[in-house]
Amino acid sequence: MARLLEPSTLLVGEGWSDYCLLDSGHGRKLEAYGTRRVIRPEPQAMWSPRCTDWLADAEFVPGSDEDGGGRWHFADVAARNAMLQDQWVLGWRDLRFNAQCTPFRHLGFFPDMAPVWDWMDDQLDGLDKAETLNLFGYTGVGSLALGRRGAVTHVDASKKSVAQARANAALSGLAGDGSERPAPWPVRWLIDDAGKFAAREVRRGRRYDGIILDPPKFGRGPNGEVWRIEDGLPALVADCRRLLDEQSRFLFLTAYAVRLSSLALAGLLHEAFAALPGRIEHGELAIREAGPDGRILPTAIFARWTNGS
């Protein structure tokens, strides 16, 4: 039976050459994405900024509705044209992907996931032809990371997001037509509702070596299906468990902007994975500010199952 480790774990991203958390405070954060600087809302940055000079190319100013809304403000017309209408290429390890100012306040990927990408790669060590599943795969940087180890099934309900994911694969020299998992890029790009897809995979008798699961708080499927994390997550986790077995390596579950505890996510996994070996861990994702005494800014909660001691 998988053991639940009650003490929480902190996964901290340290930044890299194309991404850096420069400063944070007073409910905002200043970040560098390549050569461009942006300011975004961050309610958990309750402390004071360390720097007074927050020059940036763009800032996302939220609307009055706590559930979303807002718009980007740019330093000048040139910055607006470069960042709102165009994309620019960033890198992580040997991968390349596009960044762009989106209406959802982020830049098309989540930099706090970098430690998770490394962790997944470690879990699949020794498997030359791993089969992994990325549900709610968004623009596919996680799928690119998983693709080093074998075939990936990338599922997202947004046609636009899947198109962006395929463009990112092309930037990394890993593009295929996606139909039959062609070499050299073994991926299926699927526009589908994550819950319905997982249920069909269970009926097909499929299994995977690893699953990454990044559900939104609220969303809609390609045919108008309504997703609410509190309602849909238990059944989805149960189906994901049925797609894993004693030889599988991991499941990683993240949740952003929700009124949940990581221990609640861990409890859900502990129940679902009772018949498998390994351990259940939970905790927070975070990013460390630049500098020798950089503060740690929390960003999301997670729970994960690992088939190990």
Side-chain angles (χ1 to χ4, degrees):
M1 177 177 181
R3 296 179 297 113
L4 173 60
L5 305 185
E6 293 183 356
S8 63
T9 299
L10 184 62
L11 291 182
V12 182
E14 302 290 345
W16 63 91
S17 60
D18 273 355
Y19 173 77
C20 183
L21 175 61
L22 299 169
D23 196 10
S24 62
H26 293 169
R28 302 189 303 165
K29 56 187 174 184
L30 174 65
E31 302 165 290
Y33 289 82
T35 60
R36 293 166 179 167
R37 292 186 173 198
V38 302
I39 299 170
R40 297 193 291 155
E42 183 46 74
Q44 298 196 88
M46 301 178 70
W47 45 77
S48 298
R50 289 181 167 179
C51 304
T52 58
D53 181 10
W54 271 34
L55 292 177
D57 299 288
E59 178 175 3
F60 189 90
V61 178
S64 58
D65 184 353
E66 69 173 8
D67 290 329
R71 57 175 295 187
W72 287 96
H73 293 258
F74 297 90
D76 50 43
V77 173
R80 177 184 176 84
N81 292 339
M83 300 179 70
L84 189 61
Q85 300 177 12
D86 301 326
Q87 298 176 330
W88 67 101
V89 178
L90 302 178
W92 178 82
R93 302 285 192 262
D94 57 336
L95 304 178
R96 297 293 178 268
F97 46 89
N98 285 310
Q100 185 178 33
C101 293
T102 74
F104 312 104
R105 81 178 55 188
H106 53 75
L107 277 293
F109 75 102
F110 299 99
D112 57 333
M113 289 293 291
V116 181
W117 304 331
D118 279 330
W119 179 85
M120 294 188 303
D121 190 70
D122 290 342
Q123 302 312 304
L124 297 172
D125 190 38
L127 289 179
D128 294 330
K129 297 181 180 180
E131 290 267 350
T132 55
L133 174 62
N134 188 0
L135 292 174
F136 306 98
Y138 192 40
T139 58
V141 183
S143 295
L144 297 179
L146 287 168
R148 296 187 180 106
R149 296 291 184 177
V152 184
T153 298
H154 173 107
V155 181
D156 197 279
S158 167
K159 183 177 181 180
K160 182 178 180 180
S161 292
V162 173
Q164 290 174 323
R166 297 185 68 159
N168 286 337
L171 282 174
S172 292
L174 300 170
D177 64 16
S179 59
E180 298 296 336
R181 295 178 173 169
W185 177 238
V187 67
R188 290 192 297 168
W189 305 110
L190 301 180
I191 302 167
D192 206 341
D193 176 81
K196 289 183 176 180
F197 175 80
R200 289 198 304 272
E201 290 288 86
V202 170
R203 293 194 294 270
R204 294 172 183 136
R206 289 291 307 277
R207 54 89 55 192
Y208 290 91
D209 293 299
I211 298 176
I212 181 171
L213 184 59
D214 185 21
K217 180 171 66 173
F218 175 84
R220 294 188 182 275
N223 296 313
E225 302 93 337
V226 175
W227 165 268
R228 291 183 178 86
I229 192 169
E230 295 88 349
D231 300 330
L233 189 58
L236 181 55
V237 166
D239 281 338
C240 287
R241 158 62 187 89
R242 296 183 183 100
L243 297 175
L244 301 166
D245 59 23
E246 291 81 0
Q247 282 72 51
S248 300
R249 299 296 184 89
F250 72 85
L251 179 140
F252 199 100
L253 167 64
T254 56
Y256 288 81
V258 295
R259 295 184 176 94
L260 295 173
S261 164
S262 66
L263 190 56
L265 299 184
L268 180 61
L269 294 192
H270 191 223
E271 178 183 64
F273 284 76
L276 291 185
R279 65 182 186 273
I280 307 293
E281 299 171 285
H282 69 97
E284 296 190 52
L285 300 180
I287 296 178
R288 191 187 307 275
E289 290 177 344
D293 299 314
R295 296 169 295 193
I296 296 175
L297 179 64
T299 58
I301 60 174
F302 75 88
R304 64 188 182 189
W305 167 74
T306 310
N307 192 352
S309 58

